[in-house]
Amino acid sequence: MTEDSQQVPKHIAIIMDGNGRWAKSRHQSRFMGHRAGVKSVEKIVKHCVKCEVEVLSLFAFSSENWRRPTKEVSLLMELFAVALKQQTKRIHKNNTRLRVIGDISKFSKSLQKQIEEAQTITENNTGLTINVAANYGGRWDITRSVKQLAERVMEGSLKLEDITEQQITQGLITADLPEPDLFIRTGGEQRVSNFMLWQMAYTEFYFTDTLWPDFDEQVLDTAIASFNQRERRFGKTSEQLKECNDA
Ligand code: IPE
Ligand code: IPE
Ligand code: MG
């Protein structure tokens, strides 16, 4: 529950968009926007710990972001490494578990090592789980899961007719976590840009024009308040849900 006793979503997934435009409006380089974005991450993590959110997924770098200018990509990698170095201790102290979801094999050896260390240090923490999606794509995630099942079919340990949605879910990188309840995208665009495509089948969407570096506790609380207004029917009728609540 938040301070004004709102129901807090268990899992919040965020596309942190608008860093470049934030910087441009200040006549600064895009890098300054990304740096300011890291500050917003710190603020939001702290707020999620306070509100007892279980899982926070943050889209930091998509599998398509390699298409950006080489200079921007390498600066983003550097920023990621610096942020990991600076934040891991604090994250650990807060009983928070850090995971990086995505194909990290494409990152430099040293960044991969840093990621693995941060994950190992924090893996037994029982508070908030932060998923940093880096070189992540929803299609990559689904393809990877399906390939694992195909392998089992080929070796004969799984029958084609026994493949279920549940098994595809179990092969995703988020297999042991609840699906996102609330999805937020900052920066004004209203698209999912290949984020958790399978996992967001029944997620509530919230779009805000606020640019990520300006995103703060109040905007997050507004998104949570909007989530509280929604009726999640999962295919049922409103009347059916009311009957269940009355029973
Ligand atoms: C989001 O901000 C951060 C990353 C994708 C790494 P952008 O860099 O996409 O910012 P805009 O959309 O250009 O303003
Ligand atoms: C999505 O933002 C990915 C991240 C925030 C990491 P983009 O800014 O890359 O998305 P598009 O290209 O506008 O769809
Ligand atoms: Mg963008």
Side-chain angles (χ1 to χ4, degrees):
M1 297 275 172
T2 58
E3 276 151 19
D4 48 358
S5 51
Q6 299 263 3
Q7 188 74 40
V8 174
K10 268 191 189 172
H11 183 171
I12 301 177
I14 307 181
I15 295 191
M16 310 182 288
D17 198 16
N19 294 350
R21 280 163 283 163
W22 183 90
K24 198 171 172 196
S25 73
R26 285 170 170 67
H27 309 287
Q28 293 175 357
S29 67
R30 293 180 60 83
F31 175 70
M32 298 303 278
H34 296 313
R35 212 170 67 168
V38 176
K39 294 263 171 274
S40 292
V41 171
E42 284 175 40
K43 243 189 277 181
I44 292 317
V45 165
K46 218 165 155 190
H47 196 54
C48 286
V49 169
K50 189 171 143 219
C51 298
E52 298 181 351
V53 171
E54 285 180 25
V55 185
L56 174 66
S57 294
L58 299 170
F59 208 2
F61 190 86
S62 75
S63 44
E64 289 72 34
N65 285 145
W66 296 107
R67 297 174 187 158
R68 292 193 177 195
T70 323
K71 182 80 190 151
E72 180 167 351
V73 171
S74 61
L75 282 172
L76 279 167
M77 295 298 149
E78 256 174 59
L79 194 60
F80 189 19
V82 170
L84 267 180
K85 198 164 174 192
Q86 289 176 346
Q87 300 298 326
T88 304
K89 249 197 206 136
R90 184 175 331 161
I91 286 172
H92 187 43
K93 226 176 73 199
N94 280 333
N95 191 27
T96 295
R97 183 164 63 151
L98 183 83
R99 286 187 182 178
V100 175
I101 58 166
D103 181 5
I104 66 163
S105 71
K106 298 289 180 294
F107 295 154
S108 71
K109 286 277 170 285
S110 69
L111 183 54
Q112 286 184 47
K113 189 161 166 261
Q114 244 191 301
I115 290 171
E116 269 143 27
E117 278 170 9
Q119 292 188 142
T120 309
I121 293 170
T122 63
E123 74 186 343
N124 294 320
N125 291 341
T126 54
L128 175 70
T129 295
I130 307 171
N131 287 320
V132 176
N135 194 20
Y136 177 85
R139 289 179 176 177
W140 164 82
D141 201 1
I142 297 166
T143 306
R144 188 169 152 272
S145 171
V146 169
K147 271 188 183 161
Q148 287 165 14
L149 294 176
E151 261 171 26
R152 287 176 52 200
V153 172
M154 275 182 357
E155 69 186 26
S157 64
L158 178 69
K159 284 203 212 114
L160 187 61
E161 55 271 29
D162 291 340
I163 294 180
T164 60
E165 290 183 6
Q166 182 72 13
Q167 280 166 320
I168 294 177
T169 306
Q170 283 309 311
L172 298 176
I173 200 143
T174 53
D176 58 334
L177 300 172
E179 289 177 354
D181 301 293
L182 172 63
F183 163 79
I184 300 169
R185 181 170 186 146
T186 63
E189 312 295 352
Q190 303 195 352
R191 53 177 173 256
V192 287
S193 299
N194 199 14
F195 202 23
M196 302 182 165
L197 299 177
W198 180 278
Q199 295 90 329
M200 297 209 297
Y202 266 104
T203 301
E204 297 296 329
F205 283 25
Y206 183 85
F207 297 100
T208 170
D209 288 337
T210 304
L211 303 170
W212 178 249
D214 293 327
F215 192 83
D216 60 12
E217 298 85 346
Q218 281 79 37
V219 192
L220 180 56
D221 285 345
T222 306
I224 294 175
S226 165
F227 172 80
N228 273 266
Q229 300 300 314
R230 318 278 177 96
E231 184 180 57
R232 304 186 76 191
R233 291 193 283 276
F234 299 98
K236 294 185 177 174
T237 66
S238 193
E239 290 68 25
Q240 282 176 301
L241 295 177
K242 293 198 176 86
E243 275 163 28
C244 285
N245 287 339
D246 293 346

